Amino acid sequence: MAKSVLEKIWEDHTLAKRGDEYLLYVDRHLTHEVTSPIAFEGLRARGRRVRRPDLTFALMDHNVPTSDRTLPVRDENSREQMRTLAKNAREFSITVFDYFSPWQGIVHVVGPELGLTVPGITIVCGDSHTSTHGALGALAFGIGTSEGEHVFATQTVWMRRPKQMEVRMEGRFKSHTSAKDAILYVIRELGTGGMIGHAAEFRGEAVKNMSVEERMTICNMAIEGGARTAIVEPDDKVYSYLEGAPYAPSGEDWTEARKYWETLKTDDGARFDKSYKLDVSRLEPQITWGTNPAMCIGVSETVPEPRQFGDSSQRRIVERALEYMGLSPGQRIEGTPIDVVFIGSCTNARLSDLVMVARLVKGRRVAQGVRAMIVPGSMLVKRRAERMGLHRVFIEAGFEWRNSGCSMCIAMNEDRLGPGERGVLTSNRNFENRAGPGSRVHLASPLTAAASALEGKIADPRRYSLAGLDELGLEWVSPWIERNILKPLGGG
Amino acid sequence: MPEPVRRIVGKAAPLEMDDVDTDQIIPAQFLKVLSRKGLGKYLFYRWRFDEDGRPKQGFILDQEEYRDAVILVAGRNFGIGSSRENAVWALMDFGIKCVIASSFGDIFYGNSVKNGLLCIKLDEESVKRLRGMAAKGELTLDIDVESETIKLPGGETMSFRLEPNVKKRLLEGLDEIEETLRGYEAKIREYEAKMRPFKIPSKAVMPIE
Ligand code: SF4
């Protein structure tokens, strides 16, 4: 029978079935400082151990400061949560990438770049955007704290089998548009509940042509459409991304793994419960205007007018969002003055995102009065960017060049918007107060965010030429960077 | 380990809003905790308190007649967004025992079951009706998990559906870890014995970055 890649991995990991729940073995459990303490507490209270410390990895990302790491951590609660994780990791013999580790970073950036994430495995993490890892052909689920405790103790998770949805992306991206614009558009069309109960499999020519990092962007944000997880079948690009990574298989194991990974394709005729198709060639840069990611328009469009909506509850929702965001019905979104630009988060702060930003801002200046910050997705991303010399492009343009963490995406550290402040962020959630109480967040691609930083207003990136890779004066380019970052961008 | 949930009798409060995400249920700043107790005071924090932490007037659960509500009648897509289990803990600590909505965020729903917060899915019409009744004044519901029914004042009943596992879990309040280990240890071992080496992280070596 024809099977999808999800079905193949699911079956490979099913230990038992109970009603409509499946007991799945968990190959990789990633955990961070915020959702783990109570799970560890539960283990301790009942004298339980972590069953497989060798499959469990902890790191600090959600509330770490992104300032100079030689300075003390001022927020007492953050410090306490970090210390608690370090202590728990020691007590339960788990590897931890702590605040000072050269491999510290956002969990969904770190997993793939260290080769903890590989095709064909199951991954869970106490974080909703765990779907990101699906971009490498893994089956990845965000779980709650109680479930996390269950995984610690049993290395398994009870899971209802999601329905399957095919999201086909065809065509070629026009210049200045990217994966972020595509996924924002999909959510705009389907709504925040459009994929509830489903696992999204992204397929089609445009997905094939995407780099692994772009695939991570779409898998990451599928969650905002309500999806339970997301996946892309693995291919040569994924293998290239992983080859040589510190925790990836090597030697004979690598050959073995490759053989197995080749079998993880969605067969012709595999059945999907739902499908959606998008031609990416007709996309313009997208940006959100409201308080959920589906409230989104093209950058040249105008924000909706409540009276367009027949349904009174819809109308109220739109009115409320416009009021919160401080926008008037029917106004053009482009040109709206902003205070902050944030390039960061597990959606768009990987090396290829930073290269794109550098191509746009090279030789240009951030507008007066705008705070523009770049928070690399991991310290490894940061080091790689610095070896290439990208940080000089950013600093010369007037960006802050910070250390890694979730930062303004969730505002658990000091990086936040003040009440009423407006920012263009490359992250994935624009909920009320998400980036700080009263914050007004517009989600967009790195290029749209970069162009907005230059103008001090929401801007259309298409008005800016992009410097060629050769014009960036790249200094130190490793074979990995050449293969996985520059080549997909048309260089190297 | 959750307490068994068999019957919930109490007042219902209307929350007329769709897409209530877990960031609204409990903001991220209150996730820096090391215990699940005492989170009720942060429930719907931004809607109930201003930037200086002073109570705002008017949020439904702070109004005199709804203060002791144990049932929340919401809208569509309740609990979407972040996986934070704190959202469930905050609701329960506040005194909410049941949420009625036409759909729920998947992770939120799973978290609820694990903690014994009853989440009932009804069709949109019924949710709207209940919400309307709750908004008009006192509405006491009598919810029975075993028979999957909601008794309204005046004798009318509505029925709802729970998946058998969910229902069992609620009724018995089991320690799931214990149950998994007792029932499936052999299966887990079997998988582990045949786990191929490439599925296990290799010993890390510092790569050329
Ligand atoms: S960057 Fe934002 S979305 Fe990603 S894991 Fe951190 S808080 Fe969550």
Side-chain angles (χ1 to χ4, degrees):
Chain A
M1 207 184 72
K3 285 181 190 158
S4 70
V5 56
L6 177 140
E7 287 173 296
K8 291 178 186 179
I9 305 174
W10 187 280
E11 282 167 18
D12 189 38
H13 291 82
T14 298
L15 305 181
K17 191 167 182 248
R18 177 180 75 186
D20 49 14
E21 284 184 313
Y22 292 73
L23 186 65
L24 300 182
Y25 193 84
V26 173
D27 295 324
R28 219 66 95 234
H29 186 187
L30 309 175
T31 188
H32 61 80
E33 80 281 17
V34 174
T35 52
S36 69
I38 293 166
F40 283 116
E41 204 45 59
L43 292 180
R44 217 171 351 248
R46 290 177 195 85
R48 290 177 174 138
R49 304 291 309 157
V50 170
R51 184 183 180 97
R52 292 297 299 264
D54 59 331
L55 305 180
T56 310
F57 291 81
L59 52 74
M60 302 178 185
D61 55 1
H62 278 65
N63 66 30
V64 304
T66 57
S67 47
D68 187 345
R69 299 241 145 129
T70 61
L71 301 175
V73 177
R74 256 177 293 149
D75 183 306
E76 213 175 290
N77 295 329
S78 297
R79 207 168 55 221
E80 207 39 48
Q81 272 190 336
M82 285 198 248
R83 278 214 194 112
T84 303
L85 181 61
K87 189 172 122 279
N88 284 330
R90 231 179 357 257
E91 183 178 335
F92 292 95
S93 312
I94 295 166
T95 304
V96 58
F97 307 123
D98 74 2
Y99 187 47
F100 300 100
S101 166
W103 288 345
Q104 181 270 342
I106 306 170
V107 59
H108 312 310
V109 178
V110 171
E113 75 187 1
L114 294 188
L116 289 169
T117 305
V118 294
I121 62 168
T122 47
I123 304 182
V124 299
C125 173
D127 186 280
S128 52
H129 293 101
T130 306
S131 58
T132 314
H133 306 257
L136 291 94
L139 180 57
F141 291 102
I143 57 173
T145 298
S146 299
E147 281 175 311
E149 186 182 334
H150 188 274
V151 179
F152 281 142
T154 69
Q155 205 57 36
T156 63
V157 67
W158 287 103
M159 196 64 76
R160 279 174 301 157
R161 188 163 171 158
K163 293 201 200 101
Q164 295 194 79
M165 175 163 185
E166 156 187 61
V167 179
R168 233 173 218 290
M169 296 185 179
E170 304 289 357
R172 286 187 170 272
F173 281 100
K174 283 205 285 256
S175 165
H176 294 76
T177 59
S178 66
K180 181 63 162 285
D181 301 301
I183 191 63
L184 279 172
Y185 188 85
V186 170
I187 298 163
R188 162 187 180 173
E189 288 281 288
L190 297 175
T192 52
M195 302 191 225
I196 277 194
H198 289 75
E201 181 177 337
F202 290 103
R203 344 179 37 188
E205 178 200 353
V207 178
K208 279 222 157 323
N209 289 335
M210 279 181 196
S211 68
V212 177
E213 297 195 343
E214 286 182 284
R215 294 175 193 171
M216 286 191 234
T217 301
I218 54 175
C219 288
N220 175 278
M221 274 204 83
I223 294 306
E224 306 314 321
R228 189 68 187 84
T229 188
I231 198 164
V232 177
E233 60 176 31
D235 61 8
D236 288 347
K237 289 184 186 169
V238 172
Y239 314 148
S240 161
Y241 198 83
L242 290 171
E243 195 167 1
Y247 288 98
S250 60
E252 265 171 46
D253 288 345
W254 176 261
T255 320
E256 274 284 294
R258 278 289 305 265
K259 253 189 259 156
Y260 175 59
W261 296 344
E262 298 288 354
T263 67
L264 300 174
K265 302 283 178 203
T266 290
D267 302 329
D268 292 334
R271 286 216 350 257
F272 290 93
D273 301 282
K274 221 167 157 180
S275 62
Y276 173 80
K277 201 166 151 188
L278 169 69
D279 177 3
V280 301
S281 66
R282 53 191 192 85
L283 287 179
E284 68 163 331
Q286 303 288 307
I287 186 158
T288 64
W289 58 267
T291 51
N292 75 46
M295 295 175 166
C296 176
I297 50 177
V299 69
S300 68
E301 294 178 60
T302 55
V303 307
E305 308 198 30
R307 61 182 163 80
Q308 288 166 241
F309 297 85
D311 181 77
S312 69
S313 78
Q314 269 298 316
R315 210 154 48 220
R316 262 201 309 281
I317 291 171
V318 172
E319 274 163 8
R320 185 189 162 102
L322 286 174
E323 194 195 315
Y324 180 87
M325 292 299 291
L327 297 170
S328 334
Q331 79 167 81
R332 280 170 59 88
I333 192 98
E334 200 188 337
T336 309
I338 56 168
D339 307 291
V340 172
V341 164
F342 168 75
I343 292 171
S345 92
C346 58
T347 316
N348 278 123
R350 297 184 179 78
L351 194 57
S352 52
D353 298 312
L354 301 192
V355 173
M356 289 309 284
V357 171
R359 292 179 63 189
L360 193 139
V361 304
K362 168 84 179 169
R364 299 186 166 118
R365 284 290 303 173
V366 168
Q368 278 280 328
V370 173
R371 179 178 182 204
M373 54 201 283
I374 301 186
V375 178
S378 72
M379 292 310 277
L380 179 52
V381 167
K382 184 174 193 198
R383 275 197 307 286
R384 281 175 169 156
E386 287 176 348
R387 286 173 189 212
M388 293 163 81
L390 295 180
H391 63 310
R392 273 191 276 282
V393 176
F394 300 138
I395 293 166
E396 272 161 30
F399 282 89
E400 289 174 40
W401 178 240
R402 302 183 71 88
N403 286 318
S404 179
C406 293
S407 183
M408 199 173 281
C409 172
I410 191 163
M412 287 186 75
N413 67 358
E414 300 91 53
D415 307 339
R416 61 184 58 186
L417 293 175
E421 276 189 332
R422 187 183 301 283
V424 178
L425 278 60
T426 64
S427 48
N428 50 37
R429 283 188 179 143
N430 51 346
F431 299 150
E432 289 181 12
N433 309 303
R434 171 82 177 181
S439 57
R440 291 168 169 165
V441 172
H442 297 271
L443 303 174
S445 73
L447 283 185
T448 305
S452 302
L454 300 181
E455 293 191 16
K457 302 181 201 128
I458 292 177
D460 187 337
R462 290 171 296 186
R463 286 203 264 119
Y464 294 86
S465 59
L466 301 179
L469 290 170
D470 47 334
E471 294 168 64
L472 288 178
L474 301 179
E475 289 158 23
W476 218 98
V477 175
S478 72
W480 187 92
I481 293 172
E482 188 139 343
R483 240 175 34 231
N484 298 298
I485 305 298
L486 301 185
K487 208 166 115 222
L489 292 175
Chain B
M1 208 164 64
E3 296 291 316
V5 182
R6 302 201 176 94
R7 186 168 166 221
I8 293 168
V9 185
K11 212 185 272 180
L15 183 65
E16 204 191 338
M17 221 174 302
D18 290 337
D19 299 321
V20 174
D21 56 77
T22 53
D23 273 81
Q24 308 316 323
I25 300 175
I26 185 164
Q29 74 182 100
F30 304 117
L31 306 184
K32 295 184 196 170
V33 292
L34 303 166
S35 155
R36 68 181 88 195
K37 299 239 166 57
L39 293 175
K41 51 181 178 295
Y42 309 126
L43 182 69
F44 297 121
Y45 190 84
R46 305 265 186 250
W47 295 338
R48 295 174 55 219
F49 299 93
D50 69 13
E51 277 129 33
D52 305 316
R54 280 184 303 251
K56 285 188 203 170
Q57 296 304 310
F59 186 69
I60 193 84
L61 292 173
D62 290 326
Q63 291 170 20
E64 198 50 49
E65 66 258 54
Y66 296 112
R67 220 162 254 174
D68 53 347
V70 298
I71 299 159
L72 198 59
V73 189
R76 243 178 286 172
N77 299 339
F78 187 86
I80 52 169
S82 144
S83 68
R84 59 189 69 165
E85 200 156 317
N86 309 53
V88 174
W89 301 331
L91 282 162
M92 295 184 78
D93 190 62
F94 191 86
I96 301 294
K97 299 193 166 112
C98 169
V99 183
I100 300 175
S102 57
S103 57
F104 291 93
D106 281 326
I107 305 183
F108 175 86
Y109 187 85
N111 286 340
S112 304
V113 177
K114 308 262 182 240
N115 288 276
L117 174 70
L118 175 62
C119 284
I120 296 179
K121 266 179 255 187
L122 293 178
D123 62 277
E124 282 193 19
E125 268 316 300
S126 310
V127 173
K128 225 177 184 166
R129 220 182 112 218
L130 284 178
R131 212 171 45 217
M133 290 165 77
K136 273 203 207 91
E138 190 160 327
L139 173 68
T140 300
L141 301 176
D142 180 347
I143 302 171
D144 186 63
V145 175
E146 178 60 54
S147 64
E148 297 171 307
T149 51
I150 306 175
K151 248 197 235 116
L152 277 59
E156 187 193 343
T157 61
M158 286 181 173
S159 53
F160 58 92
R161 282 272 304 128
L162 292 172
E163 284 165 19
N165 289 322
V166 170
K167 183 166 162 183
K168 181 161 175 260
R169 174 126 293 114
L170 288 168
L171 287 171
E172 296 175 17
L174 298 168
D175 176 353
E176 195 168 36
I177 294 178
E178 193 54 46
E179 207 191 346
T180 301
L181 290 174
R182 225 183 312 120
Y184 304 96
E185 175 69 31
K187 295 266 185 209
I188 299 172
R189 276 173 199 243
E190 198 183 307
Y191 180 94
E192 287 177 334
K194 61 175 207 310
M195 198 168 169
R196 297 209 262 167
F198 63 76
K199 285 195 178 171
I200 297 169
S202 67
K203 289 269 167 295
V205 280
M206 199 63 169
I208 301 166
E209 297 180 342

